[in-house]
Amino acid sequence: MDEFTYRDGSLWCEGVSLTSVANRFGTPTYVYSANTLIDHYRRFAKAFDAVNPLICFSAKALSNVHLLRLLGQEGAGIDAVSGGELHRATVAGIDPERTVLAGVGKSEDELRDAVRRKIRCINVESEAEVELLSRIAREEGERPRLAIRVNPDVAPDQRTPARTTTGTRGGKFGVDIERAAALFAHAAADRSLRIEGFHVHLGSPIFDPQVYATALDRLLGLVARLEAEGHRITTLNLGGGFPAEYVDRTAPSWDDFAEVIVHRLAGFRRGGGQVIFEPGRTIAANAGILLSTVRYLKQAGDQQLAVIDAGMTHLARAAMYDSYHFMWPVLPPAEAVPVSRDVSGLAGLTAYDVVGPICESSDYLARGRSLPVLAAGDHLAIFTAGAYGMTMTSNYNSQLRPAEVLVQGDQVTLVRRRETYADLVALELLDTSDHRDG
């Protein structure tokens, strides 16, 4: 699953002790395993090899340019949802032919940038966006490629949070499937555009492969209807949403998803069609942890609280989605070294509410979590934090964003330095002398 393992009683990332990382770089710090990231990408690609997909890693999950470059060297493209992520893809050296742009509210500048970069595909989400893209294309003298994001009205399984469900009717994303054929025909008649196919994204994480099967069946029905009318569909983008292991052995394998997806796409692929996937969480989540330090222990009513230096500004998922992240000391007592994330059989554990330093009542990373007895100064590792961890950090409470460290073998590289107070106010210290009244 990952290369964060306990060795001689201490947590290591590949060939590097995380105690040494904490001592060298401080906390909170995100630590990524390069070998885990690469291994997950390769195994995902192998599972779907029969349809030879273009795999565009979802930059919203993990956007550090060093890690995007690492995936790009493996052949990955980038799924961007903003002009900023397009820029990151460029800095990371990702070929525009392997870059796609999505997003329900793209600005005119973002669309124009995508057209000028000649990216592989723009996933449009409304009739109005098609009209704007058409105007930009004429002004730029380009003929951009696009796909229509379809909302197939497929409900995910019950384990998918409502706040990350994106494929049901009435949501803000995509075009209702009953309107998609007319919009495709309209775009196909526009000589300034090259409409190639369709895009779907159902939510994240999705644990039931049959959710993809249902959506794909509906999508292929739409394709058959349009082809019967004389249109040619050359691109089908199934998005991302594949799960990660937040708890041991609870998520289906990539082969389980491939089993219901690949044979449905076989005919499309034989006809020369391009399949695109946009995985993010499933590749990156277990490739990263958030390294933190216990600041205080306190009693609050009947609850034992561990106050750590990482909170909702450093890892927002628990406060936003009530999500679960396994956490454990970097140096646990000898009798409490875990061999898996099932620690129910370990002795000497205490129930803690693990909280951060943020002035919000929702700043809990765990409630009633069984952990070894903690002491101030202990380093605590928060696992499965490689996706939607650093990308969702903020400066709320004027907190500084953490550092990011990449480990490959026994090599440690600082890939983003910790913010400073100077960074915090840098954009506010403007020379306003030319803008004063009078």
Side-chain angles (χ1 to χ4, degrees), residues 304-376:
Q304 280 268 21
L305 268 65
V307 184
I308 66 174
D309 61 0
M312 61 187 290
T313 61
H314 309 94
L315 182 63
R317 296 188 68 255
M320 287 187 66
Y321 309 128
D322 196 27
S323 60
Y324 175 88
H325 287 266
F326 178 72
M327 57 183 68
W328 208 252
V330 171
L331 286 170
E335 68 276 9
V337 176
V339 295
S340 73
R341 296 184 184 182
D342 180 4
V343 295
S344 56
L346 296 180
L349 304 185
T350 297
Y352 289 96
D353 286 354
V354 182
V355 305
I358 311 307
C359 288
E360 287 289 338
S361 298
S362 58
D363 188 30
Y364 280 71
L365 287 97
R367 295 178 186 265
R369 185 67 62 85
S370 293
L371 293 166
V373 174
L374 299 173

Side-chain angles (χ1 to χ4, degrees), residues 1-5 11-14 18 29-38 40 57 61-62 67 244-246 280-292 314-315 317 324-327 341 380-390 403-407 415:
M1 184 169 66
D2 61 59
E3 293 198 29
F4 293 94
T5 56
L11 183 60
W12 289 59
C13 175
E14 301 188 21
L18 288 180
T29 291
Y30 277 95
V31 183
Y32 305 104
S33 162
N35 289 339
T36 301
L37 194 69
I38 292 169
H40 286 186
F57 177 76
L62 180 63
L67 299 172
E245 290 281 14
Y246 287 88
R281 177 196 313 274
T282 198
I283 290 173
N286 288 111
I289 68 161
L290 177 57
L291 196 57
S292 64
H314 309 94
L315 182 63
R317 296 188 68 255
Y324 175 88
H325 287 266
F326 178 72
M327 57 183 68
R341 296 184 184 182
L380 193 66
I382 304 171
F383 289 76
T384 324
Y388 303 101
M390 187 64 187
E404 291 180 285
V405 168
L406 178 63
V407 175
V415 293

Side-chain angles (χ1 to χ4, degrees), residues 113 146 149 153 166 174 205 243 272 322 356 369 398 404-405 428:
D113 186 27
L146 67 148
R149 178 167 177 173
D153 195 22
T166 59
D322 196 27
R369 185 67 62 85
S398 288
E404 291 180 285
V405 168
E428 301 164 34

Side-chain angles (χ1 to χ4, degrees), residues 283-303:
I283 290 173
N286 288 111
I289 68 161
L290 177 57
L291 196 57
S292 64
T293 300
V294 177
R295 283 182 174 168
Y296 305 104
L297 298 169
K298 62 182 288 187
Q299 190 75 27
D302 296 331
Q303 302 301 120

